[in-house]
Amino acid sequence: MKILTLLLMALVFAGMAKAEDGHQLWLRQQPINKAKVTGPECIAAQELRTYSTQNVTLKIDATMEQDAYCIKVNSEQGKVNSVISAKNEIGLLYGAYALLRGETTGSEPFYKLRILNHWDNMNGTIERGYAGLSIFWKGKAGERKFHGRTIFVEDPDQPIDAELIKEYARANASIGINGTVLNNVNASPKMLSAIYINKVKQYADILRPYGIKVYLSVNFASPMSIPAKGFNGGKPIKTADPLNPKVKAWWKAKAKEIYAQIPDFGGFLVKANSEGQPGPFDYKRTHADGANMLADAVKPFGGIIMWRSFVYGAAHSGEDRVKQAVSEFKDLDGKFRDNVILQSKNGPLDFQPREPYAPIFDNIKNTKQMAELQITQEYLGQSRHLTYLAPMWREFFGFVAPEKLVGIAGVANIGLDKNWCGHHFSQANWYAFGRLAWNPNLTSEQIAEEWLGLTFNASNNEALKSMMLRSREACVDYMMPIGLHHIFAFDEHYGPEPDGYNAHVPLEWCPVYYHKANNDSIGFNRTHTGSNATAQYREPYCTLYDNINTCPERYLLWFHRVPWSYRLKSGRTVLEEMDYRYARGVKEVEDFIRIWNETKPNIDEQRWQEVDARLQHQLENAKEWQKVCMDYFSSFTKK
Ligand code: GCU
């Protein structure tokens, strides 16, 4: 980014370095009230009037594309007057935020669907949430206890926090996010009950002026436990079989009930036949049968179905887990309605710090697809490690052309914590997600620069930027060098547990299943002599990954099983290479601490201390990974 723009940003957002009560985002908190704004009275006008230093004219131009904006900056006699044009008030709002962050031209979004997925439970907890409880749902202590601990249950009587949701809306609009799924993919059927639909309506009303549509995750078996308005005398039905006419009628009635309250409701997100969730397979039906039935229900209202391909343990149970999505969906390609979108994680396993891209993106050609990225850092240090994810997402786009997709979903990292995301730097991942959903061709560097300028106004952005840009690779080094994967502590997915094995859970949850280390060898053979997962990739990757001489070493133990004596290109043996990389990762974190120390004079005390405490912890945890994994893996070579 040009120096001038950075300077401008620093000026516009001067004062942002104060943490105040801790409720800080990249959005300006302190009003300036300097700008004169003319044009339609809308949120864009309010935001500019409050936070801009320029005079701005807003113009509606009906010929422009949806969500696009155009900025023209005119300087006359030392005074800057800008004009923002857009098709409607939402476009003007995007333009206003762009102007506030220093943009001086126009832009239009690459994707129409730029959606956050909240894995928020109705009792207020968040699946894989590391920033406190849900901003949407609040629970209360229930009557049941589990191992002596009170179980929290949903509480529809709790009022919503309209002010907080408005701030959330502003933040999202400022980076172009235009949709939000309000509940966990492991969905409770109760989400579709009348009392909750009414709450969703309240959220939709707050979010609408900011251009954000609401969506819900649905439980496929919902018709069996809750009523739909005007259907079956208010009684649930006995099946969820997607081809049963009663089931179809139930979903149609439910869609009608929702759209009567929320006319612009976005649609449903579905996790079916995965990790114990109900789905069409329970009735020997296909994913297409299930998705199409729901698609028909929302179609008359303009709704969509985002059907997840994250499935394992159902129809192809027992097969190498990374292959199961392609096995289940390949033959269904082209059989989905046009308002169904297949939503797939970037990698074939589960949001590891580094995965090869998911080959489902190669195999599905006639069905709309979306990528699901995980903003919440489940396997990347959660809210305790500084891990900037833009480089990981950009890496994915290097394999899956952005044009192949119709949208992007991001599993949100937002909670009730004062700083929203648990770690101040985790906000950068929320920010980066929105910016990449708007334009997947932005570089990680550009986004980091923007975010640092807006958030910290620190003088040594170069050092902080380098820390952010190196952080994901450091995380890979100290958690999963040379393609090791899923050796995280059971369940919690924080810290190492390479010896993890439990006969009572599915084998695919056990770390030992993934590294397969014994006294001779280590790694998962996914080549043609093994599980043959490599065959699911398009050329040249199929051949590249299958051949140990051409497989990038970053994926070595993901695709290949090698003897301990195997030497990498560095000349080091497998164990020596691991040792080298674990140490390199730890050293990187030490350097992040050095950089952070240098910034001390430029960052407010509160945020400096909070980030420092987390960096110290990150170092401890990186060392733990190094020690536990090296002790464990070296024990094989000593026998
Ligand atoms: C991971 C994660 C689960 C989540 C699942 C999903 O397995 O650990 O908590 O439900 O992904 O994406 O559905």
Side-chain angles (χ1 to χ4, degrees):
M1 188 177 295
K2 304 282 168 299
I3 301 284
L4 189 71
T5 318
L6 277 176
L7 268 176
L8 199 78
M9 267 166 39
L11 277 177
V12 171
F13 289 85
M16 285 207 57
K18 288 201 206 94
E20 279 123 30
D21 64 353
H23 268 113
Q24 181 116 29
L25 270 173
W26 55 86
L27 283 171
R28 193 183 171 86
Q29 309 289 309
Q30 292 299 308
I32 316 177
N33 295 321
K34 272 196 173 164
K36 205 174 114 214
V37 181
T38 47
E41 250 339 290
C42 55
I43 301 177
Q46 287 165 24
E47 292 285 75
L48 289 166
R49 201 166 284 137
T50 319
Y51 300 115
S52 178
T53 51
Q54 311 182 15
N55 290 340
V56 188
T57 305
L58 298 177
K59 277 194 183 154
I60 296 286
D61 176 352
T63 64
M64 287 180 69
E65 288 294 317
Q66 181 75 21
D67 291 351
Y69 57 83
C70 173
I71 301 178
K72 291 217 168 75
V73 181
N74 308 308
S75 292
E76 272 168 27
Q77 293 160 0
K79 184 79 196 150
V80 188
N81 295 286
S82 297
V83 182
I84 303 177
S85 344
K87 189 183 190 72
N88 56 30
E89 291 184 359
I90 302 302
L92 290 179
L93 188 60
Y94 291 149
Y97 288 123
L99 187 78
L100 286 172
R101 69 174 168 258
E103 279 181 30
T104 51
T105 54
S107 182
E108 62 181 281
F110 191 93
Y111 292 119
K112 283 211 170 83
L113 298 169
R114 309 177 295 275
I115 302 183
L116 283 183
N117 288 183
H118 288 267
W119 286 359
D120 293 19
N121 298 312
M122 298 169 73
N123 68 359
T125 58
I126 303 179
E127 176 139 355
R128 313 304 176 188
Y130 313 106
L133 293 171
S134 169
I135 60 170
F136 298 110
W137 314 112
K138 292 189 181 71
K140 64 177 178 199
E143 282 163 16
R144 281 200 13 225
K145 291 199 179 220
F146 183 72
H147 290 298
R149 281 173 51 197
T150 307
I151 303 261
F152 269 71
V153 295
E154 67 279 352
D155 181 8
D157 295 335
Q158 299 253 13
I160 68 168
D161 185 342
E163 277 313 303
L164 185 70
I165 301 306
K166 212 164 130 185
E167 278 308 293
Y168 163 87
R170 284 183 74 214
N172 280 325
S174 80
I175 46 176
I177 286 170
N178 69 350
T180 181
V181 181
L182 299 176
N183 62 319
N184 193 355
V185 284
N186 296 313
S188 162
K190 287 186 196 158
M191 195 69 234
L192 293 181
S193 58
I195 194 157
Y196 275 97
I197 293 174
N198 180 266
K199 278 192 174 290
V200 175
K201 173 196 160 32
Q202 294 176 50
Y203 287 131
D205 291 345
I206 301 171
L207 298 172
R208 186 173 298 114
Y210 293 87
I212 302 167
K213 275 189 184 182
V214 298
Y215 299 76
L216 289 177
S217 294
V218 295
N219 182 300
F220 198 76
S222 299
M224 296 168 73
S225 56
I226 58 159
K229 194 170 174 189
F231 177 77
N232 200 33
K235 283 201 288 304
I237 51 179
K238 296 225 156 41
T239 172
D241 178 351
L243 299 191
N244 182 306
K246 273 196 164 175
V247 174
K248 292 183 187 180
W250 187 95
W251 282 103
K252 286 198 166 136
K254 188 52 77 181
K256 202 168 152 203
E257 185 183 341
I258 295 172
Y259 280 94
Q261 293 210 52
I262 313 162
D264 56 352
F265 180 73
F268 298 140
L269 171 65
V270 194
K271 172 174 177 176
N273 292 124
S274 175
E275 301 186 328
Q277 292 300 320
F281 183 64
D282 303 347
Y283 307 92
K284 304 273 171 287
R285 311 295 187 200
T286 68
H287 287 286
D289 293 332
N292 290 343
M293 181 273 295
L294 292 176
D296 290 344
V298 296
K299 175 86 178 176
F301 308 99
I304 60 168
I305 302 299
M306 292 165 288
W307 191 270
R308 297 177 87 225
S309 79
F310 179 75
V311 297
Y312 66 94
H316 289 82
S317 183
E319 190 181 40
D320 179 2
R321 177 170 156 188
V322 305
K323 292 180 68 182
Q324 291 187 35
V326 172
S327 301
E328 289 209 21
F329 286 92
K330 195 172 187 301
D331 294 342
L332 300 175
D333 189 18
K335 299 198 170 134
F336 292 92
R337 300 279 193 267
D338 67 355
N339 59 333
V340 174
I341 303 169
L342 195 58
Q343 179 168 312
S344 303
K345 295 185 182 183
N346 55 295
L349 185 55
D350 192 11
F351 296 136
Q352 302 294 292
R354 166 162 282 128
E355 295 193 28
Y357 72 97
I360 192 148
F361 295 107
D362 290 343
N363 287 276
I364 299 295
K365 302 200 164 88
N366 300 306
T367 303
K368 288 181 185 152
Q369 295 196 80
M370 273 172 90
E372 179 180 302
L373 308 174
Q374 198 189 43
I375 310 170
T376 192
Q377 299 157 230
E378 176 177 356
Y379 298 95
L380 288 114
Q382 304 181 358
S383 61
R384 289 179 261 181
H385 292 209
L386 189 162
T387 323
Y388 174 55
L389 302 180
M392 181 165 90
W393 300 333
R394 290 276 304 154
E395 186 173 292
F396 166 73
F397 286 123
F399 293 98
V400 176
E403 299 75 31
K404 283 203 82 156
L405 310 172
V406 300
I408 300 282
V411 180
N413 62 349
I414 298 156
L416 276 179
D417 270 12
K418 279 233 158 166
N419 68 18
W420 293 86
C421 301
H423 195 310
H424 289 284
F425 277 80
S426 296
Q427 289 181 7
N429 293 330
W430 177 9
Y431 186 90
F433 169 77
R435 298 291 286 131
L436 285 173
W438 185 275
N439 179 2
N441 296 312
L442 289 175
T443 65
S444 309
E445 188 171 357
Q446 218 173 320
I447 299 170
E449 257 172 35
E450 267 181 27
W451 181 80
L452 283 165
L454 299 173
T455 305
F456 284 111
N457 187 27
S459 59
N460 55 345
N461 281 356
E462 285 303 317
L464 289 179
K465 192 172 73 184
S466 128
M467 169 170 84
M468 288 172 74
L469 291 172
R470 284 150 55 196
S471 60
R472 183 274 183 138
E473 211 57 53
C475 176
V476 171
D477 269 347
Y478 63 71
M479 288 188 187
M480 51 171 297
I482 53 173
L484 278 170
H485 49 285
H486 221 314
I487 56 174
F488 293 80
F490 267 110
D491 243 11
E492 220 199 320
H493 297 162
Y494 189 77
E497 196 172 339
D499 59 347
Y501 176 74
N502 181 341
H504 304 292
V505 302
L507 190 58
E508 295 106 318
W509 293 0
C510 302
V512 296
Y513 168 75
Y514 293 98
H515 62 67
K516 299 193 186 302
N518 64 16
N519 293 345
D520 302 318
S521 314
I522 178 168
F524 200 131
N525 182 358
R526 294 196 165 105
T527 70
H528 65 283
T529 61
S531 78
N532 207 18
T534 48
Q536 293 185 338
Y537 283 88
R538 71 177 190 267
E539 289 295 359
Y541 300 110
C542 169
T543 306
L544 266 177
Y545 296 161
D546 201 66
N547 181 340
I548 193 161
N549 297 315
T550 53
C551 179
E553 289 183 338
R554 46 173 55 175
Y555 304 137
L556 184 70
L557 303 180
W558 183 288
F559 286 117
H560 295 272
R561 179 158 183 78
V562 294
W564 288 106
S565 57
Y566 180 81
R567 285 188 190 277
L568 285 92
K569 296 198 178 78
S570 61
R572 291 184 275 266
T573 65
V574 185
L575 192 71
E576 284 164 358
E577 188 69 27
M578 282 184 194
D579 190 33
Y580 170 78
R581 295 197 186 205
Y582 280 118
R584 188 170 68 180
V586 168
K587 263 217 200 105
E588 280 288 88
V589 184
E590 280 165 354
D591 201 50
F592 299 162
I593 292 177
R594 178 193 63 78
I595 290 172
W596 192 243
N597 276 327
E598 279 175 7
T599 65
K600 195 159 194 301
N602 307 313
I603 309 266
D604 60 278
E605 184 67 13
Q606 183 188 335
R607 282 190 299 173
W608 191 86
Q609 292 291 355
E610 286 171 0
V611 171
D612 182 57
R614 280 168 180 73
L615 281 171
Q616 302 292 346
H617 172 81
Q618 182 172 355
L619 180 59
E620 255 174 53
N621 191 250
K623 285 182 177 165
E624 186 186 332
W625 272 95
Q626 179 187 30
K627 175 157 179 28
V628 171
C629 292
M630 283 311 294
D631 283 357
Y632 174 75
F633 289 118
S634 58
S635 72
F636 291 104
T637 60
K638 282 181 193 138
K639 279 174 198 158

